Amino acid sequence: MSSIELTTPATFIPAPATPYQGDIARYWNEEARPVNLRLGDVDGLYHHHYGIGDIDHDALGDPADSAYEKKLIAELHRLESAQTDVLLDNLGTIGRDDLLVDAGCGRGGSMVMAHQRFGCKVEGVTLSAKQADFGNNRAAELGIADFVRSRVCNMLDMPFETGQAAASWNNESSMYVDLHDLMAEHSRILAVGGRYVTITGCWNPRYGQPSKWVSQINAHFECNIHSRREYMRAMADNRLVPQAVIDLTPATLPYWELRATSSLVTGIEEAFINSYRDGSFQYVLIAADRV
């Protein structure tokens, strides 16, 4: 694909399209949970998603050790970055002249990792001006502002040309929008043959309906978790053909069990742990190609 230049950000910041999105923008502009900031402080990669993988108990050491909590936070952060690595592994072949798009980019940790791996330009969109400023400041500190940029806009109306992106993703951000509208927009911005990846929590249709635990998660994050079936249907309706569907539920449970023992608990850990254990909630990766 041809080289794509990042244009100068517009001074006009588009308003959220709906009152609900206005609520979400305010939610994330006011959010300052220690669990997001302290984990990012470990190495300067600030994520807004959860972790996967086995716990390195040797790295944690003795819980009675005075340094144990610091080691626990570092371990949780390692699992967060491992989750991003799995997402990036599923983007397919990416060249240095390609453009990647992170829809719902948070504070930008995944974008930094994507640029570090592929050397290409990465643009993120978020409703939160606070998150966008944080991500852009961090990119400037790292000397990669010419390659990594966050923009304030609606992920259902992204400021990219049709077919401009080689790959795009939602990393735990798709539960804030209508899935058909979201997949239509990713299908529009992706080149034919481009790859879309989502990692998301979704309720399990085999359970019957969203469980009480899923309802608690929705209330906590002011979101609307979709079913796995809804993702597949929305992709099929918008020329996105799944190439891989990976159940990450067993891989994410250790993260939650460890986080529940930390000083960073937010009160939602029990809902995640119980819903993963009873099968009403799943953590999945879906990679699909634009046809």
Side-chain angles (χ1 to χ4, degrees):
M1 297 183 183
S2 62
S3 178
I4 295 170
E5 297 297 327
L6 295 182
T7 58
T8 302
T11 55
F12 171 71
I13 297 176
T18 66
Y20 169 72
Q21 288 178 312
D23 289 341
I24 298 306
R26 284 189 291 274
Y27 177 93
W28 288 109
N29 280 333
E30 295 171 2
E31 181 272 338
R33 290 196 181 96
V35 69
N36 292 320
L37 296 170
R38 286 184 62 191
L39 293 181
D41 286 344
V42 171
D43 62 4
L45 290 170
Y46 292 86
H47 298 303
H48 276 274
H49 59 255
Y50 308 125
I52 59 173
D54 294 329
I55 305 301
D56 185 346
H57 292 283
D58 289 338
L60 286 176
D62 186 349
D65 191 313
S66 61
Y68 179 79
E69 182 69 12
K70 182 178 180 179
K71 293 177 180 178
L72 187 152
I73 289 171
E75 181 66 3
L76 289 174
H77 182 64
R78 183 185 70 81
L79 299 178
E80 284 186 317
S81 291
Q83 189 258 31
T84 298
D85 278 328
V86 169
L87 187 153
L88 299 179
D89 289 344
N90 282 274
L91 289 183
T93 302
I94 303 296
R96 294 183 66 87
D97 291 332
D98 287 333
L99 173 69
L100 305 181
V101 175
D102 183 349
C105 61
R107 288 183 170 95
S110 295
M111 294 196 295
V112 173
M113 290 181 65
H115 170 70
Q116 289 173 340
R117 180 185 292 207
F118 302 116
C120 63
K121 293 182 173 69
V122 191
E123 290 234 25
V125 301
T126 173
L127 288 174
S128 168
K130 181 179 178 180
Q131 288 184 343
D133 287 345
F134 189 103
N136 288 332
N137 289 337
R138 185 70 190 119
E141 291 170 355
L142 293 170
I144 57 174
D146 289 341
F147 296 93
V148 175
R149 181 175 66 168
S150 301
R151 304 172 73 167
V152 180
C153 68
N154 183 352
M155 71 172 74
L156 302 182
D157 184 22
M158 291 187 276
F160 308 111
E161 296 176 6
T162 298
Q164 188 176 1
S168 61
W169 68 82
N170 286 97
N171 196 356
E172 296 184 19
S173 56
S174 56
M175 64 287 296
Y176 288 102
V177 293
D178 177 88
L179 283 184
H180 277 80
D181 292 344
L182 177 66
M183 297 308 163
E185 184 64 352
H186 279 286
S187 182
R188 182 189 69 79
I189 69 170
L190 282 169
V192 173
R195 172 65 57 86
Y196 170 72
V197 177
T198 184
I199 296 182
T200 187
C202 54
W203 64 269
N204 187 354
R206 292 186 178 182
Y207 190 83
Q209 289 290 330
S211 68
K212 67 177 182 180
W213 305 117
V214 172
S215 296
Q216 286 183 20
I217 295 169
N218 275 335
H220 184 84
F221 293 105
E222 299 184 23
C223 63
N224 180 33
I225 292 167
H226 307 289
S227 72
R228 180 167 170 169
R229 181 181 299 150
E230 290 173 279
Y231 281 93
M232 307 306 287
R233 184 182 301 120
M235 289 181 184
D237 289 346
N238 289 285
R239 304 181 66 86
L240 294 169
V241 179
Q243 304 299 310
V245 181
I246 304 171
D247 185 356
L248 297 173
T249 309
T252 196
L253 193 52
Y255 165 90
W256 284 101
E257 291 171 337
L258 182 64
R259 177 168 146 173
T261 69
S262 76
S263 63
L264 300 177
V265 292
T266 62
I268 199 61
E269 288 78 12
E270 180 186 21
F272 276 92
I273 292 170
N274 288 334
S275 60
Y276 286 143
R277 286 177 177 171
D278 70 17
S280 64
F281 196 43
Q282 296 175 306
Y283 196 55
V284 300
L285 178 150
I286 307 172
D289 284 348
R290 167 69 164 87
V291 299

